[in-house]
Amino acid sequence: MVKMEPTKPNYLDPTVLAQVEGLALRARWAVEGFLSGEHRSPFRGQSVEFAQHRQYTPGDDLRRLDWKVFARTDKYYLKQYEEETNLAAHLVLDISRSMTYRSESAPMSKLDYARATAAALAYLILRQRDRVGLAVFDNGLSKYVPPSGSPSHFKGLVATMEAVSSEEKTSLARVFHDLAERIDRRGIVIVLSDLFDDVDTMMAGLKHLRFQRHEVILLHVLDPAEIDFSLEGNVQFEDLETDATVTTQVDEIHEAYLDQFDQYRQAIHEGCQRYGIDYVAMRTDRPIDQALSNYLLRRAAMRRTISFDAR
């Protein structure tokens, strides 16, 4: 008789992850699954290329003066370079009220899914000895944790993500402009949000981050009901950020909703292409490791703007 080993739960399935107590444990399971096929991390990178000029101040190293600029302007400017250092990643987590939505077909809310994904990314980045920070926002930045590469940093990031809650609506543009001014060294900015805001103003904020020479990755977290609109009958809809409600027959608005939703996502996609931003749609009913591995492997291979369709 052959002894059968017990079936191991698929800890990467969002249904199973939703039952796990503790964000840190969810993160470790997701990352271990993601790393099961070992490959070089696509996040690591070093740079010693020229960054910008800065006006000379007394005490600066005279060897760094740019004499060509002095010849043209008669002013003293220093050359500044990107230091050869480990990557710094900034996880930007949306905790606005719309992120608390969970349909019957989803095992966890958008916020829980985004938190689990952010924790998995933090765990992965620290594992490869790079630095990671966290910005938590709704109508504005509510928490900002500067990047660190310390192994103990993970516990602090997880504790921050688990503790936050919000009663506010989203203001993406304000947050992106704030971060563009706050982050003083070029890095990777990874946004986890349902992106429910005005697309044009949101893109203006993302353009500011790109102008500051940050790489930007948008992880667009969506509930399957928002994508497929698989509802029936007479349904009351509530705007979680304004508390406004409307009741209507789904059949009467089904096609119009899908058309408007596709236009909204297409506008985001076109803006990302315009500014060199990576866009990844993430459904809350799909395994986290699957979404991350698909994106990161293609990022490593292609190093260009990528779009994933959530359908």
Side-chain angles (χ1 to χ4, degrees):
M1 177 180 288
V2 178
K3 182 180 180 181
M4 301 295 292
E5 294 293 332
T7 302
K8 184 178 180 181
N10 179 11
Y11 295 120
L12 308 174
D13 188 292
T15 304
V16 178
L17 284 177
Q19 299 169 359
V20 175
E21 293 293 338
L23 192 54
L25 189 56
R26 291 180 185 175
R28 285 198 294 272
W29 276 340
V31 171
E32 285 167 6
F34 167 69
L35 294 175
S36 60
E38 283 291 332
H39 61 276
R40 182 174 179 82
S41 168
F43 272 147
R44 286 195 69 84
Q46 296 181 334
S47 174
V48 290
E49 65 183 23
F50 173 75
Q52 62 184 357
H53 285 100
R54 176 175 64 80
Q55 194 163 7
Y56 170 82
T57 56
D60 285 334
D61 187 350
L62 295 176
R63 292 174 297 181
R64 295 169 57 197
L65 284 173
D66 191 326
W67 295 106
K68 292 182 179 179
V69 173
F70 173 75
R72 294 197 305 268
T73 65
D74 201 31
K75 294 181 180 179
Y76 295 108
Y77 284 90
L78 301 181
K79 290 181 179 179
Q80 288 188 309
Y81 294 87
E82 295 290 343
E83 296 182 7
E84 191 169 11
T85 183
N86 287 345
L87 172 147
H90 305 264
L91 301 170
V92 184
L93 176 65
D94 184 354
I95 61 165
S96 59
R97 289 182 64 186
S98 66
M99 289 288 287
T100 63
Y101 176 69
R102 181 181 73 85
S103 68
E104 293 182 358
S105 58
M108 59 175 60
S109 70
K110 292 184 288 184
L111 179 56
D112 284 340
Y113 191 91
R115 281 196 280 218
T117 304
L121 284 168
Y123 186 82
L124 173 63
I125 292 164
L126 289 170
R127 178 185 174 120
Q128 66 187 34
R129 297 185 178 87
D130 287 320
R131 296 179 299 127
V132 61
L134 174 68
V136 179
F137 75 94
D138 41 40
N139 195 35
L141 273 181
S142 58
K143 294 280 185 181
Y144 179 72
V145 182
S148 172
S150 168
S152 62
H153 189 54
F154 179 71
K155 292 182 180 180
L157 294 180
V158 168
T160 299
M161 286 189 279
E162 288 182 324
V164 292
S165 61
S166 174
E167 295 297 325
E168 299 290 338
K169 62 182 181 179
T170 311
S171 182
L172 292 166
R174 176 189 300 179
V175 170
F176 296 153
H177 286 302
D178 190 350
L179 286 172
E181 296 299 327
R182 184 185 295 260
I183 303 173
D184 58 3
R185 177 174 293 178
R186 186 175 66 173
I188 294 181
V189 177
I190 306 171
V191 180
L192 301 100
S193 171
D194 56 13
L195 304 179
F196 285 163
D197 205 349
D198 179 75
V199 175
D200 291 337
T201 57
M202 175 179 69
M203 283 299 161
L206 291 170
K207 180 182 178 181
H208 192 178
L209 284 166
R210 292 292 292 128
F211 180 78
Q212 298 294 78
R213 305 175 70 241
H214 299 296
E215 288 191 62
V216 179
I217 301 170
L218 284 187
L219 302 184
H220 193 181
V221 183
L222 294 166
D223 187 279
E226 295 171 330
I227 300 167
D228 304 326
F229 204 55
S230 52
L231 304 173
E232 296 179 353
N234 199 41
V235 177
Q236 183 183 70
F237 295 91
E238 178 184 359
D239 186 330
L240 294 176
E241 298 195 350
T242 66
D243 294 324
T245 61
V246 61
T247 302
T248 186
Q249 282 286 339
V250 173
D251 291 345
E252 297 178 359
I253 64 169
H254 185 267
E255 293 301 322
Y257 170 87
L258 290 179
D259 182 62
Q260 288 293 315
F261 191 70
D262 284 344
Q263 290 182 35
Y264 150 76
R265 288 184 56 205
Q266 182 62 29
I268 294 175
H269 178 232
E270 289 174 356
C272 288
Q273 287 187 317
R274 187 180 309 120
Y275 300 126
I277 295 168
D278 287 2
Y279 172 82
V280 186
M282 302 186 74
R283 293 176 60 125
T284 58
D285 60 346
R286 301 277 173 84
I288 292 172
D289 76 307
Q290 176 184 317
L292 289 180
S293 60
N294 286 346
Y295 167 68
L296 293 177
L297 289 172
R298 293 195 185 189
R299 170 188 166 88
M302 300 173 67
R303 302 293 297 174
R304 62 179 175 83
T305 302
I306 303 170
S307 172
F308 283 71
D309 193 352
R311 293 190 185 182

